[in-house]
Amino acid sequence: MTATFIPKALQGQKVYLKPVNASDAEAYYQLLFDAETSRLTGTKAIFNFEQITEYIDRKWRDDSSVLLLIARQETDELIGDIALQDLDYTNRSANLRIMIDQAKHQGQGFGTEALRLILDYAFGILQLHRVELNVYDFNERAAHVYKKVGFKIEGRQRDALFYNHEYHDAILMSMLEEEYREKYLTADPK
């Protein structure tokens, strides 16, 4: 019996990031149906399987984004995705988004490690200068993780999300390449 090769593009201790392939469509589709994850990310759409396969196909041809799946090192279980979007090579910037599915995978450092891996890729390989993200004001756990990783708050977009009969603010955060290098590549990392 031949072992299945799993491309581990970026590897950490707990998780690895891998390119999304057509063969991942079913598993990726299943990641999208956790109600709490949808709330935390502000996702309102409900997707069918065909939409997911088309999305994966489009991402393979899209040079303005990098979409990677997050998998556990121990089990190869897919637990989320992470993306650099709106890549602007002229201004060396991108928007970042991350999703860790289900409560059982949250609060264990998987997201923190995935963020570190993608930031190393963004600032090292892609040579970006700025990475930004938005987090909704009710997602305090994510905001805490982003701050811990080194993102700084830039501002607040008032009433940016209307979800479940209420408006919520979006908090804009960013990290610059020198902040990343100072935090993670100095002799005395913080």
Side-chain angles (χ1 to χ4, degrees):
M1 188 165 110
T2 307
T4 304
F5 173 72
I6 298 173
K8 297 180 178 183
L10 303 171
Q11 293 194 61
Q13 301 252 316
K14 297 179 179 186
V15 299
Y16 63 89
L17 309 182
K18 72 181 220 75
V20 62
N21 294 302
S23 62
D24 297 311
E26 180 63 37
Y28 192 49
Y29 178 69
Q30 296 300 321
L31 289 176
L32 302 175
F33 289 100
D34 181 69
E36 181 63 2
T37 301
S38 293
R39 184 184 77 81
L40 293 173
T41 59
T43 303
K44 299 176 187 178
I46 297 173
F47 304 99
N48 64 40
F49 186 73
E50 184 177 307
Q51 289 171 310
I52 295 304
T53 57
E54 289 172 3
Y55 175 74
I56 291 170
D57 186 52
R58 279 194 315 274
K59 286 299 176 185
W60 269 107
R61 296 186 307 257
D62 181 4
D63 63 355
S64 70
S65 69
V66 174
L67 172 64
L68 300 169
L69 296 177
I70 304 168
R72 293 185 63 176
Q73 281 284 17
E74 292 178 350
T75 63
D76 296 321
E77 177 186 11
L78 296 180
I79 62 168
D81 72 347
I82 192 164
L84 291 170
Q85 307 173 125
D86 305 321
L87 282 162
D88 179 343
Y89 293 104
T90 302
N91 293 306
R92 297 176 51 210
S93 65
N95 177 278
L96 183 143
R97 73 164 182 76
I98 183 172
M99 181 268 299
I100 301 291
D101 83 325
Q102 303 179 23
K104 70 178 182 177
H105 296 129
Q106 297 168 1
Q108 296 187 48
F110 299 139
T112 300
E113 188 170 76
L115 285 165
R116 290 280 314 275
L117 291 169
I118 199 75
L119 289 170
D120 192 49
Y121 178 74
F123 293 123
I125 304 300
L126 296 181
Q127 299 177 18
L128 297 182
H129 174 70
R130 173 188 166 82
V131 174
E132 68 178 31
L133 59 83
N134 280 295
V135 61
Y136 296 113
D137 57 3
F138 56 81
N139 196 346
E140 294 172 8
R141 179 187 293 165
H144 171 77
V145 171
Y146 299 143
K147 287 177 189 173
K148 180 174 76 171
V149 170
F151 280 87
K152 309 244 186 286
I153 295 175
E154 288 190 342
R156 180 178 288 263
Q157 297 166 305
R158 298 178 303 146
D159 291 351
L161 174 71
F162 186 71
Y163 197 91
N164 200 22
H165 310 286
E166 291 182 279
Y167 281 101
H168 303 279
D169 293 353
I171 300 164
L172 176 63
M173 302 178 83
S174 72
M175 182 184 291
L176 302 177
E177 68 180 312
E178 60 267 13
E179 294 166 343
Y180 176 81
R181 293 183 196 297
E182 181 180 316
K183 186 168 181 75
Y184 297 109
L185 301 180
T186 59
D188 183 27
K190 298 176 178 122

